[in-house]
């Protein structure tokens, strides 16, 4: 096997270089062939536990640790969640890069001033506010989970490992113990199929 050393390659008379049928160019790792816009690597975490929280503190349910091959790369982060919140109150879910939430807007004019302290009450991330069937105190067996999704193209500008996480929290701490935020919980029937949450990160070459 011979080795060709060159810094540039171009077509002689045509506008393209053709690889003959039956032949292929093989990269030795996920970063050895780079073209703007193509996916360099894909990582995913899932969460299939039925759980709930009544805490205003951020609770991590999924984490993807990704090390970009190039500092110029962007990371496409997408999540699919199955959530519902009891009695018309509000729960939240957000995507974080390490300790920084990247799914909150910069306009704070309509933040929930009634819950300005502690900070998690400010309603960043994905607001989860669903109306319970029946009266405010009806049984949770009337519920089914709602799908919530979010996608963002992040620019971390690093080749160091990054932890992308999905965290959940709720304002229930100011309202009492009867308003939990539920994750992956279907109806009250324990034989009902359970959904699954996903967090997917893709490094996109630039």
């Amino acid at each position: 096997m011979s080795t060709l050393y060159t810094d540039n390659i171009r077509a002689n008379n045509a506008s393209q270089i053709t690889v003959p049928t039956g032949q292929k160019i093989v990269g030795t790792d996920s970063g050895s062939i780079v073209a703007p816009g193509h996916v360099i690597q894909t990582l995913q975490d899932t969460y299939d536990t039925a759980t709930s929280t009544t805490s205003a503190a951020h609770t991590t349910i999924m984490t993807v640790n990704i090390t970009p091959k190039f500092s110029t790369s962007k990371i496409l982060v997408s999540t699919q969640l199955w959530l519902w919140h009891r009695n018309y109150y509000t729960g939240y879910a957000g995507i974080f890069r390490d300790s920084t939430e990247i799914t909150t807007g910069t306009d704070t004019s309509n933040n929930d001033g009634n819950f300005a302290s502690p900070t998690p009450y400010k309603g960043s991330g994905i607001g989860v506010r669903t109306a319970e069937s029946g009266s405010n105190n009806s049984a949770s067996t009337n519920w089914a989970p709602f799908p919530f999704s979010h996608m963002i193209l992040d620019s971390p500008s690093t080749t160091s490992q990054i932890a992308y996480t999905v965290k959940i929290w709720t304002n229930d701490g100011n309202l009492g113990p009867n308003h939990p935020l539920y994750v992956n919980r279907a109806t009250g029937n324990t034989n009902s199929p359970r959904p699954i949450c996903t967090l997917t990160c893709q490094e996109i070459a630039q």
Side-chain angles (χ1 to χ4, degrees), residues 21-203:
T21 301
Q23 305 296 309
K24 58 185 176 182
I25 298 174
V26 178
T28 56
D29 58 48
S30 60
S32 60
I33 299 176
V34 178
H38 98 283
V39 177
I40 298 174
Q41 58 177 318
T42 300
L43 298 172
Q44 185 181 75
D45 190 21
T46 60
Y47 187 78
D48 61 0
T49 302
T51 190
S52 65
T53 182
T54 58
S55 175
H58 294 151
T59 300
T60 299
I61 61 171
M62 290 181 290
T63 300
V64 169
N65 293 309
I66 186 170
T67 303
K69 298 292 184 180
F70 305 97
S71 62
T72 56
S73 294
K74 296 183 182 295
I75 308 297
L76 182 62
V77 186
S78 58
T79 187
Q80 175 71 55
L81 307 172
W82 293 91
L83 310 168
W84 59 267
H85 201 280
R86 289 203 62 185
N87 295 0
Y88 300 95
Y89 295 103
T90 305
Y92 304 104
I95 299 175
F96 290 72
R97 183 207 319 118
D98 294 328
S99 61
T100 301
E101 186 179 1
I102 59 175
T103 49
T104 182
T106 57
D107 183 358
T108 60
S109 59
N110 286 324
N111 273 356
D112 193 343
N114 293 327
F115 302 104
S117 179
T119 300
Y121 289 147
K122 290 186 176 181
S124 54
I126 307 167
V128 182
R129 189 178 181 90
T130 55
E132 185 173 7
S133 57
S135 67
N136 282 359
N137 295 315
S138 59
S140 61
T141 53
N142 294 329
W143 284 85
F146 289 82
F148 291 85
S149 61
H150 212 313
M151 179 180 293
I152 189 165
L153 191 62
D154 190 37
S155 301
S157 301
T158 184
T159 55
S160 299
Q161 180 177 282
I162 308 162
Y164 287 99
T165 59
V166 171
K167 301 182 181 184
I168 59 171
W169 62 99
T170 178
N171 59 16
D172 182 70
N174 264 21
L175 300 172
N178 299 317
H179 317 103
L181 172 65
Y182 292 100
V183 182
N184 286 340
R185 180 167 170 173
T187 66
N189 184 348
T190 57
N191 294 321
S192 298
R194 301 293 186 186
I196 186 170
C197 297
T198 60
L199 171 63
T200 306
C201 296
Q202 294 183 302
E203 181 180 359

Side-chain angles (χ1 to χ4, degrees), residues 10-22:
R10 57 167 296 174
N12 185 20
N13 295 314
S15 58
Q16 67 182 27
I17 297 173
T18 302
V19 178
T21 301

